[in-house]
Amino acid sequence: MNSSEGVSTGGSQLSVKLGKLDHIAVVVESIEESSKYYSGLLGFQIRGTIRSEETGDTYCAMTKDDIVLELVEVSKKSPLLAAGPVRKGMSHLAYLVDDIEAALKGLRAAGAQILAEKSIVFGKIKFNYAKMRNDLILEVMEIPKGHQHAYQAL
């Protein structure tokens, strides 16, 4: 499937247009300890750490080649909690979209549970989460034109 196709739902085709994969998110207990571990062991470079006032979550963007790893310390008011208990480890896949509201409408029509009542605005980025079949969490992100990854727009 290329980035101009919709999401496959086992035979049916949705009108959700996902762009490229932006990042892979990993829930951690301590960003400070985990960022040292991933940079030392796997060679990721820390690009920045930031906390969202709206969600309370703290994020650390790390890169290696063209891969973005996002470490997340989840707060008690995180929209990720709407999907159920959050466990440490791989949390979600984040995709860029041109129109977040259209993407959420398509995901909802496919039976996904949208986790935040309204899309979250964080700096110049808009995002939301969708719980898909088999408990897969997708994050859809709308970022300003001219940026390749969300962390560059913060």
Side-chain angles (χ1 to χ4, degrees):
M1 177 185 303
N2 66 40
S3 63
S4 65
E5 295 179 14
V7 174
S8 175
T9 59
S12 63
Q13 193 72 12
L14 298 180
S15 60
V16 179
K17 303 291 186 207
L18 297 179
K20 74 177 203 161
L21 179 69
D22 183 72
H23 65 264
I24 299 166
V26 176
V27 171
V28 299
E29 191 168 323
S30 166
I31 282 179
E32 183 178 346
E33 291 176 20
S34 297
S35 61
K36 289 177 189 175
Y37 176 78
Y38 288 111
S39 62
L41 179 68
L42 301 177
F44 278 87
Q45 293 183 334
I46 299 169
R47 297 297 179 184
T49 301
I50 193 161
R51 182 177 179 278
S52 166
E53 292 301 321
E54 186 171 348
T55 68
D57 296 338
T58 302
Y59 310 95
C60 176
M62 303 182 74
T63 60
K64 180 178 181 181
D65 302 322
D66 197 30
I67 300 168
V68 178
L69 182 67
E70 177 186 78
L71 305 181
V72 184
E73 281 183 19
V74 176
S75 78
K76 288 182 168 78
K77 62 180 187 176
S78 175
L80 290 169
L81 295 171
V86 176
R87 66 188 198 312
K88 290 172 194 67
M90 210 290 231
S91 169
H92 62 269
L93 300 175
Y95 283 90
L96 300 179
V97 296
D98 290 332
D99 181 342
I100 192 167
E101 298 311 322
L104 292 171
K105 182 178 178 182
L107 290 167
R108 189 177 287 113
Q113 174 191 355
I114 307 305
L115 301 186
E117 194 171 303
K118 62 181 180 111
S119 292
I120 298 150
V121 177
F122 188 39
K124 298 175 185 176
I125 300 169
K126 269 192 190 176
F127 67 96
N128 207 326
Y129 301 98
K131 183 177 179 182
M132 309 296 289
R133 291 184 185 166
N134 302 312
D135 294 334
L136 173 68
I137 305 290
L138 287 185
E139 178 181 9
V140 289
M141 307 180 80
E142 186 178 316
I143 66 173
K145 302 289 185 222
H147 296 285
Q148 288 191 327
H149 294 285
Y151 79 89
Q152 297 167 329
L154 293 174

